[in-house]
Amino acid sequence: MTVLSVASAQNLRESVAIVRPKLSENTQAFLTDFSKSLRKDGFYSAADILENYGKGSFGTGFAYRNKQDNRLYIITNRHVVEQAEWVDIEFSLPDNSSKRFADCPVIGVHDDFDIAFIALPQGAQVPTLEITDKAITDGTTVFTAGFPALAEKPSWQLGQGIVSNANALIESLTHNKELPLIQHTAQVDAGSSGGPLLVRNEQNPDRFTVIGINTWKAVDRENTNFAIPVRAIEDFFQNYPTDANTLLTQADVTRKATALLQATKSSYEAVMPFVSYQYVSNISANTFYDLVFAASDGATKAMESCFEQGSPLEGIRVGLADIICRQFSGKNYTFSTVANLDSIHKTADVTYATGDKTITTRWTLEQGRWRLMEAENVKASRIEANGISKSYGFGTSIYLGIVSPLNNAFDLSYSLAFKRTILTFMTYEISASLLKLNTEKKDWEGLNEIVVPSTRNAFDINFGLGGQLPVKCGPIYLVPYAKVMGGLYLGSDVSGIDYGLGAGVEVAYKFGYQNYVFANIGYLGKKMKPFDDQTYRLKSKMLSGLAFSIGVSF
């Protein structure tokens, strides 16, 4: 059993704190811009989540003094401090006064378990809690302490319940590590994350002892909450350094860079601890959509879950980890070199090699971990690789076009078309054209029937169905296509049906979610069949021409 200090019910609030993560200016700008883009594209719920996240969140933590270095820490959940390297700590005391510590560094997070460690300033005077890893049993009375939200502000709450499962094995919550969680019924609400799970001290019932860190709440069951046992705290201090300066070595960068290669052979979950939040902040709205389309089914579900739970940045991190995993796995990359280790900005460059090809990656020291912030083969500005695109597509696009004749059946025509994509590779469209048809009119000269050249105007309406093969080339898409069409043409003196085909190449530039500008060139051929050719000898003739159009999707 590990004993550090004690706290009674009366002074418990002196040891349990409100934890407010401080987002960097880059992250704030990212959240604001991203939220605006999502709202513009019609994703209002996701935009609200990002906007609310950017306004600031809070959780709970408790004071702990590590006997190995005698430093004072606040222990909380990793998800409470995601995207933050600095936090503000506030103790709301029983007399309604407050004790605050600003800009406290996040000195480390556990890669496998949802816990984080924050260093309080040297000389800070805060009573700590007693911690024990003594075995507990089902039915044990337990207490929760924290600051769940009330009217969007942290509000002190001391709850009571029982242990309903002392050894809950839920590997999806512990990254497949065999760490039995403590399932209990004491009150846990939004804002309680990171707070202590407590029992009465056996020697002094007026005092509390910490047995776990409250972390999860089941949304589909009543009174089902989960805490990480305190043995994870001991595991952190045994396996993770708390002094960042000891990590500023080529040896430590090499160790993490090599470990990434092993992680990519496993799964995106194994890669996530290597993805920096700075990498996340470099994602734009456009590349986020590419990220969603490119992610595997499992990663897509995990991203959706993160957004639903109010952790959008973790969702983006999942998508990045999935892409990194697939870009590295199967390529037989080997670690090559570490270069440009910058102890001031805490960055380093790492080169990997496969055959005669090398790629450069950039790493940063973040939350006490070397993490990937940029990779040459997974650019935040270009998630989808060049080649055949599976994410290309748009809701509705409008085109203005002209058709230049290749035979004498008609003069220059003008068209307006509306087109949509179906599952990337199919399209359908409705078009309207103004045609000037070249015909022959039967007339009489005295008693003799004569034929004279004539032109007639017609309004042509067509429905088209086509296929396309979009090929991504950097920010540009080259889209060869083919289509069949049919419809009616109507005029004051001529009318009939027409049908035909078209083929060509479209060039598209993407500037938003399903937003593109287009330039199109192709061949258009249609057979015109009149209903009545008694007066105008249109007969059945072929119209062929070179089609040019420009368009935009919205």
Side-chain angles (χ1 to χ4, degrees):
M1 182 174 69
T2 303
V3 178
L4 298 177
S5 187
V6 294
S8 66
Q10 184 176 357
N11 65 15
L12 190 59
R13 291 175 64 166
E14 298 178 5
S15 302
V16 179
I18 303 166
V19 179
R20 301 180 188 272
K22 301 186 70 173
L23 302 180
S24 67
E25 291 183 3
N26 287 342
T27 300
Q28 291 279 13
F30 162 75
L31 290 169
T32 300
D33 294 343
F34 201 177
S35 176
K36 289 179 180 178
S37 295
L38 288 172
R39 195 174 301 281
K40 178 175 68 71
D41 294 328
F43 297 98
Y44 301 110
S45 296
D48 289 341
I49 290 171
L50 282 171
E51 188 174 316
N52 292 333
Y53 189 89
K55 291 178 181 177
S57 60
F58 58 86
T60 301
F62 60 93
Y64 170 91
R65 187 176 295 278
N66 180 26
K67 65 180 181 180
Q68 296 177 4
D69 59 14
N70 202 37
R71 289 186 64 184
L72 192 61
Y73 297 96
I74 295 294
I75 298 174
T76 187
N77 283 142
R78 183 180 60 209
H79 72 258
V80 170
V81 298
E82 65 181 15
Q83 195 72 13
E85 292 195 65
W86 304 88
V87 300
D88 290 339
I89 300 297
E90 178 184 352
F91 293 91
S92 180
L93 303 178
D95 61 359
N96 292 323
S97 64
S98 296
K99 181 187 292 186
R100 294 182 174 88
F101 300 95
D103 299 326
C104 299
V106 179
I107 57 92
V109 296
H110 202 296
D111 288 341
D112 297 321
F113 310 128
D114 192 351
I115 54 176
F117 298 80
I118 302 158
L120 287 176
Q122 293 287 349
Q125 298 296 317
V126 176
T128 57
L129 292 176
E130 179 180 303
I131 295 178
T132 179
D133 58 5
K134 180 181 178 180
I136 59 171
T137 58
D138 294 352
T140 300
T141 299
V142 291
F143 302 84
T144 55
F147 291 89
L150 185 64
E152 299 184 353
K153 294 182 179 180
S155 177
W156 170 254
Q157 176 176 280
L158 180 64
Q160 180 176 345
I162 63 167
V163 173
S164 51
N165 186 348
N167 293 282
L169 289 172
I170 307 176
E171 293 184 353
S172 61
L173 298 180
T174 58
H175 285 215
N176 296 317
K177 303 295 182 180
E178 291 188 2
L179 179 72
L181 302 175
I182 304 170
Q183 180 180 320
H184 64 89
T185 64
Q187 292 93 325
V188 169
D189 297 294
S192 299
S193 292
L197 181 66
L198 306 148
V199 294
R200 294 282 188 184
N201 187 285
E202 293 180 352
Q203 284 72 37
N204 189 341
D206 289 335
R207 300 184 183 276
F208 290 104
T209 303
V210 180
I211 61 170
I213 304 102
N214 291 311
T215 306
W216 299 283
K217 178 184 180 74
V219 295
D220 53 352
R221 290 177 58 178
E222 291 186 5
N223 302 323
T224 305
N225 309 306
F226 298 94
I228 298 172
V230 294
R231 74 185 71 169
I233 298 173
E234 296 292 333
D235 183 84
F236 175 85
F237 284 106
Q238 289 174 7
N239 295 289
Y240 295 83
T242 58
D243 185 355
N245 291 324
T246 64
L247 302 175
L248 293 170
T249 65
Q250 287 199 352
D252 202 73
V253 178
T254 299
R255 181 178 63 83
K256 294 297 288 186
T258 304
L260 172 63
L261 294 179
Q262 293 300 316
T264 58
K265 297 176 182 178
S266 177
S267 65
Y268 75 84
E269 291 99 332
V271 174
M272 277 193 66
F274 296 88
V275 181
S276 71
Y277 289 109
Q278 189 164 341
Y279 210 154
V280 171
S281 295
N282 290 332
I283 293 290
S284 66
N286 287 350
T287 50
F288 169 73
Y289 301 130
D290 291 340
L291 193 69
V292 173
F293 282 115
S296 63
D297 291 342
T300 300
K301 291 179 181 178
M303 292 172 72
E304 291 174 354
S305 177
C306 288
F307 267 80
E308 290 170 357
Q309 295 173 15
S311 299
L313 300 180
E314 281 299 291
I316 298 173
R317 201 164 172 234
V318 168
L320 271 173
D322 183 61
I323 298 299
I324 291 168
C325 184
R326 287 186 287 146
Q327 285 294 325
F328 275 84
S329 63
K331 305 292 194 306
N332 295 319
Y333 283 112
T334 58
F335 170 80
S336 180
T337 59
V338 174
N340 303 322
L341 178 60
D342 187 336
S343 59
I344 297 176
H345 297 97
K346 299 179 181 178
T347 58
D349 294 336
V350 174
T351 302
Y352 295 98
T354 177
D356 58 354
K357 179 183 177 182
T358 61
I359 62 165
T360 301
T361 61
R362 192 158 182 79
W363 293 65
T364 184
L365 190 61
E366 179 184 83
Q367 293 186 334
R369 297 288 173 274
W370 280 107
R371 289 173 173 168
L372 192 65
M373 63 182 288
E374 184 179 330
E376 189 177 351
N377 58 340
V378 187
K379 292 186 179 296
S381 60
R382 193 186 71 232
I383 295 298
E384 187 179 36
N386 289 335
I388 295 175
S389 172
K390 296 181 181 179
S391 66
Y392 180 82
F394 43 85
T396 301
S397 60
I398 183 171
Y399 291 79
L400 295 174
I402 59 173
V403 180
S404 178
L406 294 176
N407 59 15
N408 62 356
F410 69 105
D411 291 338
L412 195 69
S413 74
Y414 305 91
S415 66
L416 173 68
F418 295 90
K419 185 166 74 171
R420 294 177 67 93
T421 55
I422 310 171
L423 300 176
T424 299
F425 300 107
M426 294 185 65
T427 64
Y428 66 92
E429 65 180 76
I430 297 175
S431 63
S433 303
L434 291 176
L435 296 171
K436 183 173 285 189
L437 299 172
N438 296 324
T439 68
E440 295 176 331
K441 180 181 179 182
K442 291 188 295 184
D443 206 348
W444 293 90
E445 190 176 87
L447 298 176
N448 298 318
E449 184 182 61
I450 61 173
V451 177
V452 296
S454 178
T455 59
R456 310 308 297 174
N457 293 322
F459 181 67
D460 189 19
I461 301 176
N462 278 171
F463 176 80
L465 184 65
Q468 61 185 11
L469 187 66
V471 179
K472 189 174 188 297
C473 304
I476 301 295
Y477 293 82
L478 298 179
V479 189
Y481 67 89
K483 61 183 177 181
V484 294
M485 67 197 79
L488 297 171
Y489 63 92
L490 304 168
S492 59
D493 298 307
V494 292
S495 61
I497 62 172
D498 57 13
Y499 53 88
L501 57 86
V505 176
E506 186 167 81
V507 178
Y509 175 78
K510 186 175 184 179
F511 64 93
Y513 174 67
Q514 294 192 340
N515 297 130
Y516 302 82
V517 290
F518 309 97
N520 187 309
I521 183 172
Y523 169 80
L524 183 65
K526 293 194 291 187
K527 191 162 189 176
M528 316 289 288
K529 296 194 69 172
F531 293 136
D532 180 8
D533 64 349
Q534 294 300 311
T535 303
Y536 293 93
R537 297 177 59 177
L538 178 63
K539 298 189 181 297
S540 295
K541 62 167 58 180
M542 192 73 182
L543 276 66
S544 63
L546 200 58
F548 304 90
S549 63
I550 56 174
V552 62
S553 63
F554 53 91

